[in-house]
Every structure is written in C-alpha cells, then in structure tokens.
C-alpha cells in the first residue's frame, strides 16, 4: 500500500495508498486506525441495483497483489528516477485515473474553502509525505522491509487514537496488541544484533511514513466525516492536492532526468495508475459489498506479498527473523483492531441493538 491508500468520506482513500472509512486502510497502501493500509477504505455507499461483477474474493486477492507489489515498483522506479520524481509520477497517474472516473460518472469535486483546506492537510499526511518517505527509504532498505514497516500503521493509529480521540478507549487486548506489534518490529530489525545489516535512516523513514498514514486517518476522521461529498469526489480532490504539493516541491530538489529507461518508467506508471488509482476503485467496491472490516483485511496480506515479491523477483535476502517478526507485527495489528465493544463504535452498535430489540418488541405486540 503505500499510496494507496480505507474513516470519513475523504478517507475512504491509501495505502500504499488510498482514503479510508471510519471503521476501516494505505499504500503502498496502509490501514487506518480501526480500519485499513492503503492508500483507501471507503464508507459504503447506499445500496443500489445489483450489477454483474467479479466475485469479491477475486477482487480482494487482486487488491492484495496490487498493494503488495507496490513496494517492488517503488524499488525499481527509484533505480532510475529520484524518489520525489517517482512519487510525483505516481500521484499524476493515480489522479488521472480518478479524474477519468469522475468525469464518466459526472461527479464534481467538493465545494467550500473549509473542505479544501482539510483535504490539503489530508493529502500531505496520507499521500505526499508517506509516498515520498517510502521512496527515499527504499534507496537503502529492501522492499520487503518497507512492506513490513507499512503494516505498523494500525499500531501507530491505535497509539495515537488513545491520545487524540477521547471516545476511543483502549482495552487490555488492544494495548497488548500494541506492545506485541512493536516487539515484532524489533524482531524484524534484529534488535539483539544491534540492528546489524539494516540501514537505520531508511528504516526510520519507512516507519515515519506509516506513522504519517495514522496521523492522516485520525485527522480525516475528526475533520471530514459527514462532509456531504462522495468518497470518490473527496479522494479525487485529495490526490489532486497531493499532486500539486509534489509538483511545487520536486523541481526544487531534482533536475529533469536525462534518460527514461522503460522498465522503471513502466513501474512508475503502474504504481500510479494501478497501485493508487485503480486500487482505490477496487477497494471502494469491496467496502460497499462486504463492509470495511472484511475489506481492510488486505492490510494483513500486503506485507506477505511484498516479501515474496522482493525475495523472488529482486533477489532480496531473507533471514528467519524477517518473516517471524512480520507475523508478530500482523498479530499485534490484528489485536489492536479488536475490542470493539468499547468506545464510540461499540456504543453505536449497542444503541442499534437496543433500537432493534425495541422494534422487535413493538412488532410482536402489534401482531398479538
């Protein structure tokens, strides 16, 4: 996920990149607090007429592959282009895909200065900053490690939500998951060996990128929930703003490439058009069909695909502690998403159950 990439109408985008729903992930896409990795889990739209489509399991598997391979695409792209150029290209092609879909559906971008101001902040934390950090990180660390670091987004999200969202109370299970997850990071890095063999700067950048996703999701949940615009409209605006941000910065720190090797160029195009644009649309459909909880399970498959791709296609070295630590990270991340009985989501479900029981009793009385 890095892009990407699933909490408010706008955040319905991540991982490695997309926007997320209030209960869902980024991308290179990634998972949001109590949600998705990438780029972009979305709030489910109103039910409409059913259309023939690929089985959701096939689309789910495709999304896992797309976001899992995003880290490999970043790695190959940075072999020929500067990290900022890779990120800008990714944003341009991702934005182009959503622009085409917006025009096809005749949807407009959001209106109002307030919405655009909040989307500017969201674009920075959910797109421009993490995409750039992952690109720079992969100059010195394997794509496998970058993919595993991306999986820490739910851990950062849970830690931050305890501080920033007063209604999101921690439970013993979630606190245990937080501790277990970060212990898994230490195993991945080989802490007992003094982190030998890993580049500290690159690893820190990848972890900060995952933290940025979490910050962005929390910001979106607090500022853009219930904005009135569609998820597609908000995501398109967010990617557009992220593209503008990078277009202003990239010329200041890079010069135009003197050559355009075809393989890295195709990787950048695929990273943007498929890994950011199309991946967002696939996740949007998944959330609408099977709900955010199931859709955001993509988060837990992404590092597995990223590791397999890096080892098999890029000949990256894999020691025993990498897969073992990754498994611990994923278990910890899964635990932080549990304990839904507390906090606002739990209270909301309790109110819905209470209303359902009241309607049931009223209906029984009428039939009697």
């Amino acid at each position: 996920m890095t892009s990407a990439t699933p909490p408010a109408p706008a955040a319905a985008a991540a991982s490695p990149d997309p926007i997320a729903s209030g209960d869902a992930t980024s991308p290179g896409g990634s998972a949001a607090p109590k949600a998705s990795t990438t780029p972009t889990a979305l709030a489910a739209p109103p039910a409409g007429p059913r259309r023939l489509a690929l089985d959701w399991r096939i689309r789910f598997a495709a999304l896992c592959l797309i976001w899992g391979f995003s880290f490999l695409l970043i790695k190959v792209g940075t072999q020929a282009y500067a990290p900022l150029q890779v990120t800008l290209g990714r944003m341009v092609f991702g934005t182009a895909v959503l622009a085409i879909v917006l025009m096809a559906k005749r949807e407009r971008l959001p209106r109002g200065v307030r919405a655009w101001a909040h989307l500017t902040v969201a674009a920075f934390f959910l797109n421009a900053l993490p995409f750039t950090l992952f690109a720079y990180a992969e100059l010195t660390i394997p794509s496998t490690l970058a993919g595993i670091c991306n999986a820490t987004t739910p851990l950062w999200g849970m830690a931050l939500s305890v501080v920033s969202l007063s209604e999101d109370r921690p439970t013993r299970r979630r606190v245990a998951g937080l501790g277990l997850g970060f212990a898994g990071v230490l195993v991945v890095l080989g802490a007992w060996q003094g982190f030998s063999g890993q580049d500290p700067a690159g690893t820190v950048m990848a972890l900060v990128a995952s933290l940025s996703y979490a910050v962005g999701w929390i910001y979106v949940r607090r500022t853009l929930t219930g904005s009135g615009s569609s998820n597609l409209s908000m995501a398109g605006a967010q990617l557009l703003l992220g593209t503008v941000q990078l277009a202003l910065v990239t010329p200041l720190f890079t010069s135009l490439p003197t050559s355009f090797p075809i393989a890295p160029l195709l990787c950048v195009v695929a990273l943007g058009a498929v890994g950011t644009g199309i991946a967002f649309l696939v996740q949007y459909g998944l959330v609408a069909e099977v709900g955010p909880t199931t859709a955001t399970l993509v988060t837990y498959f992404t590092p597995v695909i990223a590791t397999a791709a890096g080892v098999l296609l890029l000949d990256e070295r894999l020691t025993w502690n990498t897969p073992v630590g990754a498994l611990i990270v994923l278990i910890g991340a899964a635990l932080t998403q549990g304990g839904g009985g507390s906090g606002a989501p739990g209270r909301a479900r309790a109110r819905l159950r209470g209303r359902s029981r009241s309607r049931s009793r009223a209906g029984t009385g009428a039939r009697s």
Side-chain angles (χ1 to χ4, degrees):
M1 118 193 182
T2 46
S3 140
T5 343
S15 8
D17 337 28
I19 302 182
S21 86
D23 289 326
T25 337
S26 118
S30 338
K34 304 190 64 131
S36 103
T37 67
T38 194
T40 313
L42 303 168
R50 295 181 63 84
R51 293 178 296 176
L52 292 177
L54 286 175
D55 184 86
W56 73 267
R57 296 171 187 83
I58 297 176
R59 287 177 281 134
F60 180 93
L63 192 58
C64 292
L65 288 171
I66 289 171
W67 278 343
F69 272 88
S70 292
F71 297 96
L72 179 148
L73 297 176
I74 294 172
K75 189 74 171 180
V76 176
T78 55
Q79 291 175 357
Y81 306 107
L84 278 170
Q85 293 169 345
V86 171
T87 304
L88 176 58
R90 173 185 191 170
M91 292 294 292
V92 167
F93 290 110
T95 302
V97 168
L98 292 191
I100 292 171
V101 176
L102 280 167
M103 289 187 290
K105 293 191 172 186
R106 297 183 179 180
E107 289 196 31
R108 295 182 177 180
L109 293 175
R111 296 182 178 180
V113 175
R114 180 178 178 276
W116 281 89
H118 289 315
L119 284 169
T120 299
V121 177
F124 176 76
F125 284 109
L126 290 174
N127 301 111
L129 179 61
F131 291 1
T132 300
L133 287 174
F134 271 121
Y136 272 104
E138 290 198 45
L139 291 176
T140 56
I141 67 173
S143 64
T144 55
L145 179 56
I148 293 170
C149 288
N150 184 70
T152 64
T153 299
L155 304 177
W156 291 117
M158 185 267 174
L160 291 173
S161 67
V162 171
V163 177
S164 63
L165 300 178
S166 58
E167 75 277 7
D168 197 9
R169 302 297 181 185
T171 64
R172 291 181 180 178
R173 172 175 173 167
R174 297 182 69 197
V175 171
L178 182 65
L180 185 64
F182 285 114
V185 173
L186 296 178
V187 173
V188 170
L189 299 179
W192 61 93
Q193 306 175 84
F195 307 112
S196 61
Q198 304 292 356
D199 178 68
T203 304
V204 168
M205 282 190 284
L207 290 173
V208 173
S210 301
L211 171 61
S212 180
Y213 283 135
V215 171
W217 293 131
I218 290 176
Y219 181 84
V220 165
R221 286 174 62 188
R222 292 176 68 100
T223 61
L224 289 169
T225 301
S227 66
S229 298
S230 72
N231 291 316
L232 179 60
S233 172
M234 299 289 276
Q238 180 177 308
L239 287 186
L240 175 62
L241 288 166
T243 301
V244 172
Q245 291 171 2
L246 287 163
L248 294 174
V249 172
T250 301
L252 301 178
F253 297 95
T254 66
S255 56
L256 285 175
T258 56
S259 62
F260 295 87
I262 189 65
L265 179 60
L266 290 177
C267 284
V268 173
V269 173
L271 183 64
V274 180
T276 303
I278 293 177
F280 162 77
L281 298 174
V282 172
Q283 191 178 26
Y284 178 92
L286 284 173
V287 173
E289 183 173 345
V290 300
T293 300
T294 299
T296 55
L297 291 176
V298 171
T299 301
Y300 305 111
F301 290 91
T302 297
V304 177
I305 303 297
T307 298
V311 172
L312 296 176
L313 300 178
L314 296 179
D315 293 325
E316 294 180 344
R317 190 170 64 92
L318 186 67
T319 56
W320 69 267
N321 58 296
T322 300
V324 170
L327 179 61
I328 297 173
V329 168
L330 295 179
I331 293 173
L335 288 175
T336 65
Q337 306 308 295
S342 64
R347 290 194 295 272
R349 283 191 287 270
R351 286 195 295 271
L352 288 174
R353 286 194 296 268
R355 291 170 188 160
S356 177
R357 286 194 294 269
S358 297
R359 286 194 296 268
S360 177
R361 287 193 295 270
T364 301
R367 286 192 297 273
S368 300

